Amino acid sequence: QTMTRPPPSPDALKTSMQHQAKALGFDQVRVCLPDLEMAGEHLKTWLAAGCHGHMDFMQRHAHLRQHPEQLLPGTLRVISAGLSYLSESPESAATALENPSTGYVSRYALGRDYHKVVRNRLQKLASHLEQEWGPHGYRVFCDSAPVMEVEIARQAGLGWRGKHTLLLNRDRGSFFFLGEIYTNLPLPVDTPTDEHCGSCRACLDICPTGALPTPYHLDARRCISYLTIEHKGAIPDPLRSQMGNRIYGCDDCQLVCPWNRFAQLSHLPDFAPRDRLKDRSLTELLSWSETDFLTHTSGTAIRRIGHERWLRNVAIALGNGPAHEEARQALADRQHHPSELVREHVNWALSRLSE
């Protein structure tokens, strides 16, 4: 007769989970209740103001964000995990931003697609819980479903919501990914942490396009991350000249944040920058064919915007850079691109360089 050991207590299970999370590379993992009613009301106000731009999925799935049990019936707890991704110091990122001849890619996107990296590790963590406790209902997320990631992480105590709306941690700043496990396990819950932004408004003042008009309020329609990644059409003319050399995402509000002096560097090889993406000249990036683009962005988050939006973004960056012959020639070579979207932004950039 085989003896089956009794499941551990919820406290022991949580301790075991935290040890396993550390072994999987997570910086921290904590637990909260699936109570998102109030945050859901704030979301509805933000959506009603149109601040989500063309991200219709946010409107469509707002009720799922507010009610975790609709994504996983029987959800009792939400496990929130943080994983640092910075592969170099914030200072070197700021230096890259200051070179107008190269394309700036948000630091999170320089390595392997974070969706896969974080979800794979969360899946291993959920499997560990299954080994310890037995079968349980769970679902793993990383920016992959209507989940209020920052609010969940705030409630679980991974940090506080900064004035730029991102999560901030005293020991790690903000350069980390978030992932969640919805579960029906009765794990002990953690408590939120205090806020530590004080009177600082560095992130609000640095934003190139004024996307942070007031603390804790982001207008995605003006945010460079939204414009370069989510926005499918033409970039509004008044915002183009403010985008500088940012061709995929924007880190300004993070780079200027005093708490990112404590940002932890990631030791995961997954997040090491790809040579083809980091500090490349804009003229080279504009010359990429669709095959080049797909090859060089394979396995990264960048690939999802497609070649057409990539060229749109790079053309704007060239138009904001120095007016040298090489830049003008690179743009002229794209003047007859089959895409009207690309042609519009190429011609805008050429007119800027001939002023």
Side-chain angles (χ1 to χ4, degrees):
Q1 187 179 354
T2 58
M3 296 288 290
T4 57
R5 63 188 174 93
S9 69
D11 283 302
L13 181 64
K14 185 176 176 185
T15 301
S16 171
M17 173 188 77
Q18 289 173 324
H19 285 308
Q20 183 64 16
K22 193 164 190 181
L24 288 166
F26 289 108
D27 300 291
Q28 48 179 348
V29 60
R30 295 166 74 95
V31 181
C32 71
L33 296 169
D35 179 12
L36 298 167
E37 200 68 37
M38 191 182 296
E41 294 309 310
H42 289 308
L43 174 64
K44 285 176 186 171
T45 304
W46 184 78
L47 290 166
C51 293
H52 57 302
H54 294 298
M55 293 185 287
D56 300 334
F57 58 88
M58 296 204 71
Q59 188 97 49
R60 264 198 318 275
H61 303 307
H63 62 289
L64 292 175
R65 294 177 192 277
Q66 196 171 8
H67 301 288
E69 72 282 355
Q70 291 187 19
L71 283 173
L72 178 73
T75 298
L76 272 185
R77 301 286 189 270
V78 184
I79 300 165
S80 179
L83 186 66
S84 295
Y85 62 78
L86 207 57
S87 57
E88 57 182 20
S89 69
E91 291 77 23
S92 57
T95 303
L97 196 52
E98 288 163 9
N99 184 349
S101 296
T102 60
Y104 185 85
V105 172
S106 189
R107 300 295 98 170
Y108 81 83
L110 286 171
R112 188 163 175 242
D113 188 342
Y114 67 95
H115 298 86
K116 299 170 187 169
V117 178
V118 178
R119 282 182 73 178
N120 288 347
R121 283 173 161 71
L122 285 173
Q123 189 60 51
K124 287 176 181 169
L125 188 59
S127 298
H128 171 78
L129 289 169
E130 202 147 48
Q131 288 165 11
E132 294 286 302
W133 182 270
H136 63 102
Y138 71 88
R139 190 170 166 189
V140 166
F141 304 99
C142 175
D143 199 12
S144 54
V147 173
M148 288 191 180
E149 297 194 311
V150 175
E151 175 60 18
I152 286 167
R154 185 197 72 75
Q155 288 190 26
L158 267 71
W160 71 95
R161 187 184 284 269
K163 292 179 183 178
H164 48 20
T165 75
L166 301 169
L167 197 77
L168 276 169
N169 180 285
R170 288 186 74 153
D171 303 316
R172 293 178 176 81
S174 61
F175 288 101
F176 53 89
F177 296 123
L178 295 172
E180 301 76 36
I181 304 174
Y182 285 7
T183 178
N184 62 6
L185 292 174
L187 293 162
V189 297
D190 294 290
T191 52
T193 181
D194 294 333
E195 295 187 16
H196 297 283
C197 284
S199 59
C200 176
R201 47 175 293 123
C203 58
L204 282 71
D205 295 336
I206 199 73
C207 180
T209 50
L212 294 162
T214 56
Y216 314 106
H217 179 82
L218 172 73
D219 188 342
R221 294 166 297 187
R222 300 186 67 85
C223 174
I224 293 174
S225 282
Y226 165 78
L227 292 168
T228 54
I229 300 170
E230 300 291 347
H231 186 67
K232 294 185 172 73
I235 305 289
D237 204 315
L239 299 178
R240 295 177 193 176
S241 60
Q242 295 160 28
M243 289 167 60
N245 63 338
R246 300 165 188 82
I247 57 172
Y248 187 94
C250 178
D251 293 325
D252 288 44
C253 61
Q254 297 193 83
L255 294 174
V256 77
C257 176
W259 288 108
N260 273 324
R261 285 177 305 203
F262 307 109
Q264 304 284 316
L265 294 186
S266 169
H267 303 296
L268 295 181
D270 297 285
F271 299 141
R274 308 273 178 103
D275 286 342
R276 278 315 213 172
L277 297 173
K278 187 173 175 241
D279 306 330
R280 309 310 293 184
S281 78
L282 290 165
T283 51
E284 178 196 337
L285 298 178
L286 194 71
S287 74
W288 282 2
S289 66
E290 183 157 22
T291 304
D292 293 333
F293 171 78
L294 293 173
T295 301
H296 298 324
T297 61
S298 176
T300 74
I302 298 173
R303 199 178 203 192
R304 60 187 280 258
I305 69 168
H307 187 231
E308 185 184 34
R309 275 188 266 172
W310 174 259
L311 294 179
R312 174 198 66 184
N313 297 347
V314 176
I316 290 175
L318 273 168
N320 289 328
H324 50 65
E325 190 51 41
E326 190 186 354
R328 279 194 285 263
Q329 186 56 54
L331 288 161
D333 290 345
R334 287 295 191 189
Q335 270 189 296
H336 302 292
H337 191 276
S339 162
E340 185 184 340
L341 182 70
V342 173
R343 292 196 305 272
E344 178 189 340
H345 292 81
V346 162
N347 288 326
W348 174 87
L350 278 168
S351 67
R352 290 262 299 176
L353 297 187
S354 58
E355 285 171 4

